[in-house]
Amino acid sequence: MLKHRLIIVGIFSLVITLISPFIFHSYFEAKPKNINQQLSFGGPFPYAEQTVTLPAGDKLYPLEIKFQSPFEKETKFNIIPFILSFVCLFLFFFAIYSMITRFFKGKTVKEPH
């Protein structure tokens, strides 16, 4: 039973880790000095980096930059932050899953003979 829980939570955590760059965006309040920026995406530890050219006009800010698909734009993946993100999400979801199943399943009380 524990093996099935680990597999289910592991797959769910992997999927959430892989789609996290599309969830967490980069935000610029004001125009930076350097228009060419290397932005990191992903969460909770950013692991996907893309180079972005920001607009030059001051009136275009605040600006939110979204992650583009690795098939459309060159993306650099860092393995250590990816593993840290996966482990962090796995532990979080496993704890929540365990609490919910424990709540609904309950604890059986054995009576002494």
Side-chain angles (χ1 to χ4, degrees), residues 25-103:
H25 307 292
S26 290
Y27 180 78
F28 290 92
E29 183 69 33
K31 180 183 168 190
K33 292 179 182 177
N34 188 4
I35 294 180
N36 291 328
Q37 295 281 331
Q38 181 112 8
L39 303 178
S40 297
F41 297 94
F45 299 97
Y47 64 89
E49 294 181 357
Q50 289 183 341
T51 303
V52 177
T53 303
L54 299 172
D58 289 335
K59 294 184 179 184
L60 298 173
Y61 293 90
L63 179 67
E64 184 176 281
I65 305 294
K66 296 182 180 180
F67 181 74
Q68 294 181 358
S69 172
F71 299 115
E72 297 175 7
K73 191 166 192 170
E74 184 178 340
T75 305
K76 179 184 172 189
F77 289 99
N78 298 321
I79 191 70
I80 301 298
F82 178 80
I83 292 172
L84 289 173
S85 293
F86 171 73
V87 169
C88 184
L89 289 173
F90 177 81
L91 293 173
F92 177 72
F93 290 130
F94 186 75
I96 289 178
Y97 182 82
S98 297
M99 285 187 284
I100 290 172
T101 56
R102 178 69 175 210
F103 178 74

